[in-house]
Amino acid sequence: MSYPVRTALLLVFCLGICATAARVEAAGDPFGNVAAAYLVMIDGREVWARNPSAPLPPGSLTKMMTGLLVLERADPGQLATVSREASRETGTRLGLEEGDRMPVIDLLAAALLGSANDACHALADHVSGSEKKFVVLMNARAREMGLSGTRFANACGHDAPGMRSTARDLARLAETAMGNPVFAKMAGLEDGWISTADAGKKFPLENKNLLIGRYRGAIGVKTGFTGSAGKCLVALAERGRKRVLLVMLDAPDRWWKAEEILDAAFAHGPGASAGPP
């Protein structure tokens, strides 16, 4: 066989391998660069993913762990007192002042629906005495859950050195948190009102998860955004007996793309192998 012929055959063979690899990659990652990382699970089975183990800033998706720990360690009916540190929180906040007293359940609603950082910090203080001590609990709970790609540096999700999680870890965290009936009910609320214990201050809440009340079957879970994390989302939807969980990290067009991906997941045949939607 002449050299040019061998070269041509080798080239065809290599191109065939590359094409096959591309098809396999496309089957597992049909939505491409909609996010720096994403993960889709249907009825607990991982179907499509992109960089699901990449360590990335989680933003306020962190509050899923905060909410879970609060429900595991505090009475929702207890009153929590806002500390000076909590009142000085930055970013999204209610506008709580030092000394304000609020029921834990109301602060939790503010943290999960409105992503209020002052409410979130107040909850950490209430459970552990300080945010620093609460973060120790967060990381211990993460290890207990097997979230090996996750490390928390604060309770609210602020960008910080070492603060990271993965789409796969956040999916497991979301499923665990949604297993708590109080957390699940709260994550599915569209809006509400909360107030201080003396009713002197009242605050309207609106769920930042725009899928709630708009996308059929949406029941949770949490949004997030920081400069480093970008726009993040954990979405959970149910239709009939089908359950779809979507995690998106650093997704510039998260709302429209989330609906597109969820639609594809619900259209995905039961028992079908992972493949293009």
Side-chain angles (χ1 to χ4, degrees), residues 28 38 62 102 137 165 174 222 244 249 253 264 268:
Y38 76 83
T62 298
M102 293 187 73
L137 293 181
S165 191
K222 188 72 186 73
V244 178
L249 299 177
D253 194 14
H268 198 62

Side-chain angles (χ1 to χ4, degrees), residues 66-79:
T66 299
L68 176 63
L69 274 177
V70 168
L71 289 170
E72 289 178 343
R73 291 176 171 267
D75 180 348
Q78 290 177 339
L79 293 180

Side-chain angles (χ1 to χ4, degrees), residues 55-217:
L56 295 167
S60 283
L61 301 184
T62 298
K63 293 184 176 79
M64 293 191 296
M65 178 62 87
T66 299
L68 176 63
L69 274 177
V70 168
L71 289 170
E72 289 178 343
R73 291 176 171 267
D75 180 348
Q78 290 177 339
L79 293 180
T81 301
V82 177
S83 68
R84 177 178 298 181
E85 291 76 14
S87 71
R88 292 178 173 177
E89 268 291 349
T90 59
T92 302
R93 55 197 308 277
L94 282 179
L96 297 173
E97 296 178 324
E98 181 181 1
D100 283 344
R101 302 180 73 214
M102 293 187 73
V104 166
I105 193 69
D106 284 8
L107 289 172
L108 189 61
L112 294 182
L113 273 70
S115 211
N117 292 326
D118 47 0
C120 177
H121 195 132
L123 288 168
D125 290 341
H126 178 73
V127 170
S128 299
S130 71
E131 184 188 28
K132 184 177 181 179
K133 292 179 180 178
F134 187 80
V135 170
V136 173
L137 293 181
M138 295 173 74
N139 286 317
R141 189 70 171 95
R143 289 192 298 273
E144 181 183 307
M145 294 170 62
L147 309 184
S148 59
T150 297
R151 180 185 176 277
F152 298 110
N154 55 73
C156 301
H158 296 297
D159 292 331
M163 182 82 160
R164 65 183 184 275
S165 191
T166 70
R168 190 169 282 134
D169 279 3
L170 290 165
R172 183 178 298 181
L173 173 57
E175 288 284 19
T176 302
M178 289 295 285
N180 183 294
V182 176
F183 188 108
K185 183 175 181 178
M186 194 164 289
L189 294 175
E190 288 186 56
D191 51 37
W193 284 85
I194 59 174
S195 65
T196 52
D198 61 2
K201 299 177 183 177
K202 295 183 179 181
F203 307 93
L205 295 180
E206 185 174 351
N207 200 327
K208 287 184 173 290
N209 182 353
L210 300 184
L211 298 177
I212 301 297
R214 187 182 76 179
Y215 184 82
R216 184 165 65 90

